[in-house]
Amino acid sequence: MASTGTLDISANVAAVRARIAEACDRAGRDPATVTLVAVSKGHPVALVRAAAEAGCLDLGENRAQELLPKAAEAASSGLIPLPRWHFIGHLQRNKVWDVLPHIAALHSLDSVDLVREIEQRAGGLDAGIRLPRYPLPCYLEVNVAGEAQKHGVTPDALPDLLRAAQACEAIEVRGLMTVAPHLGDPERVRPVFRALRALAEAHGLDELSMGMTEDYPVAIEEGATVVRVGRAIFGARPA
Ligand SMILES: *Cc1c(COP(=O)(O)O)cnc(C)c1O
């Protein structure tokens, strides 16, 4: 067992789950409707193992270069059951075929070009045999706050992306995803979560991937069905 220093992953997971339950309580929701994705980016497989032992089998990674060796190491180290990897970062088109065989969901579908690439690479029966999840569950990433440096489509461009994704046999559209701006006070990002929910409802989509360490309780109050939590579980990421 590799040392994780003073970090107690199972206590952290328990604390996050308790806050999820409290937020659900406030919102009159069943905690079973919220999936916790533990974001392990920047951390070694020893911590992934600790999270898995604490019951977190949904793990989030945002870079192909990090996901591929980590998924391979987790598999070869005999981690049972194997985690389900969620890809949460911008996926470059030239990484699609490397990444697809490892992931249970893509949270960052952010362009029609990426839909086309997935269609080309994963279309057809052959891919269904080779990929763990086919069609691939996807969330369409929306840049609700219109921040210049962020990926994701603007709300105006969402209908085109949604149409392309729904027409693609290799993709199962689950819902919408957003990365909220860092504003310090989670109450200030509540309108962003509310806007994502309104967009999802307007397009008949049920699932919402939103909320991170700083704001996941508020995201749950606003309807998140998936929260992506890194630091509250694994501590600060090594620089
Ligand atoms: C890193 C990351 C997270 C987790 O962030 P924390 O603040 O560590 O909880 C969630 N979503 C995305 C897209 C990320 O890149």
Side-chain angles (χ1 to χ4, degrees):
M1 181 74 195
S3 165
T4 55
T6 55
L7 196 59
D8 186 343
I9 302 263
S10 74
N12 289 351
V13 168
V16 169
R17 289 210 186 278
R19 289 191 74 197
I20 289 174
E22 286 161 18
C24 283
D25 220 34
R26 289 193 295 276
R29 298 183 55 194
D30 176 354
T33 63
V34 179
T35 298
L36 171 61
V37 171
V39 177
S40 53
K41 67 183 183 196
H43 298 293
V45 169
L47 268 57
V48 168
R49 177 182 287 275
E53 283 167 0
C56 284
L57 289 172
D58 290 285
L59 277 292
E61 288 287 335
N62 69 338
R63 289 168 63 240
Q65 306 90 292
E66 186 173 347
L67 168 69
L68 298 182
K70 211 181 269 187
E73 191 186 337
S76 69
S77 74
L79 193 58
I80 294 172
L82 278 175
R84 292 176 288 271
W85 297 103
H86 295 244
F87 201 84
I88 62 173
H90 176 62
L91 179 56
Q92 289 172 286
R93 286 164 59 192
N94 64 0
K95 295 288 187 343
V96 164
W97 192 237
D98 292 334
V99 164
L100 251 47
H102 299 284
I103 61 175
L106 174 64
H107 290 246
S108 44
L109 188 62
D110 59 5
S111 73
V112 173
D113 282 348
L114 185 55
V115 171
R116 300 267 176 269
E117 187 71 23
I118 292 171
E119 188 161 44
Q120 257 181 28
R121 298 298 221 148
L125 284 175
D126 188 36
I129 293 162
R130 286 205 267 165
L131 300 183
R133 297 298 300 269
Y134 184 90
L136 177 67
C138 288
Y139 299 80
L140 279 48
E141 182 171 356
V142 184
N143 183 353
V144 178
E147 293 167 278
Q149 72 282 17
K150 282 223 171 115
H151 291 288
V153 291
T154 61
D156 284 351
L158 178 60
D160 281 346
L161 177 59
L162 181 59
R163 210 170 299 120
Q166 284 176 331
C168 176
E169 282 190 15
I171 288 174
E172 177 198 326
V173 175
R174 280 286 173 85
L176 302 182
M177 176 272 212
T178 199
V179 179
H182 299 287
L183 299 175
D185 176 2
E187 282 304 326
R188 292 180 59 208
V189 296
R190 190 184 288 276
V192 172
F193 298 141
R194 202 166 277 178
L196 192 73
R197 180 184 189 156
L199 273 175
E201 281 172 357
H203 291 95
L205 301 170
D206 295 330
E207 299 240 9
L208 293 167
S209 170
M210 60 187 192
M212 306 170 31
T213 289
E214 280 167 16
D215 50 30
Y216 67 93
V218 169
I220 289 169
E221 288 171 19
E222 295 302 329
T225 60
V226 184
V227 292
R228 310 175 310 266
V229 178
R231 287 167 299 150
I233 292 174
F234 296 107
R237 284 177 281 277

